């Protein structure tokens, strides 16, 4: 059962990262290529923040759970996902689920080196 939550977390995390990267391809490079590259990089800032949060807390599940909860609250405020339910469902809910999976991992794991 311990591994199930770990696999669920990893699958959701990497699918969510790929989703965010795919959503950043909505840039327009017809006018200026470098402006398009800059827009792509700016659109990937949330992805980089999630990756840094993931790799910074790779062994400490409780801290990861709290950090992802803070990031979910920040996403509600920054992206204003409280306005549109669809945006809330695909931006904030997966981060909340990642936080929940990390919390369950912190409660079910006996040896963190497993």
């Amino acid at each position: 059962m311990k591994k199930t939550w770990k696999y669920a977390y990893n699958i959701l995390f990497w699918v969510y990262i790929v989703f965010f990267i795919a959503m950043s391809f909505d840039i327009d490079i017809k006018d200026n290529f470098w402006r398009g590259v800059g827009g792509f990089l700016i659109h990937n800032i949330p992805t980089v923040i999630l990756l840094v949060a993931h790799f910074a807390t790779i062994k400490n599940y409780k801290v990861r759970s709290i950090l992802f909860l803070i990031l979910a609250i920040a996403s509600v405020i920054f992206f204003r996902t409280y306005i549109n339910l669809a945006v809330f469902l695909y931006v904030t809910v997966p981060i909340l689920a990642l936080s929940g999976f990390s919390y369950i991992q912190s409660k079910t794991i006996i040896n963190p080196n497993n």
Side-chain angles (χ1 to χ4, degrees):
M1 189 67 177
K2 293 186 283 189
K3 296 285 186 182
T4 304
W5 294 111
K6 184 176 183 177
Y7 292 140
Y9 171 83
N10 285 331
I11 290 169
L12 179 63
F13 178 77
W14 290 110
V15 166
Y16 192 58
I17 291 297
V18 169
F19 173 74
F20 255 148
I21 291 172
M23 293 300 287
S24 67
F25 283 113
D26 68 343
I27 56 169
D28 185 24
I29 58 171
K30 294 177 194 164
D31 298 332
N32 189 347
F33 174 76
W34 293 110
R35 177 176 257 178
V37 170
F40 178 75
L41 293 175
I42 288 172
H43 279 91
N44 276 317
I45 289 173
T47 306
V48 171
I49 291 171
L50 288 172
L51 285 170
V52 167
H54 170 74
F55 287 117
T57 60
I58 201 140
K59 292 290 182 182
N60 197 341
Y61 300 116
K62 192 171 283 189
V63 172
R64 180 190 294 167
S65 174
I66 294 168
L67 186 59
F68 276 117
L69 183 64
I70 292 169
L71 287 175
I73 293 168
S75 75
V76 169
I77 295 168
F78 183 74
F79 294 117
R80 294 184 288 186
T81 60
Y82 52 84
I83 295 173
N84 190 347
L85 179 63
V87 176
F88 179 79
L89 290 176
Y90 73 78
V91 173
T92 303
V93 170
I95 301 173
L96 287 172
L98 290 171
S99 176
F101 288 156
S102 294
Y103 181 75
I104 292 170
Q105 279 180 323
S106 73
K107 293 299 181 186
T108 59
I109 204 148
I110 296 168
N111 184 4
N113 295 326
N114 284 345

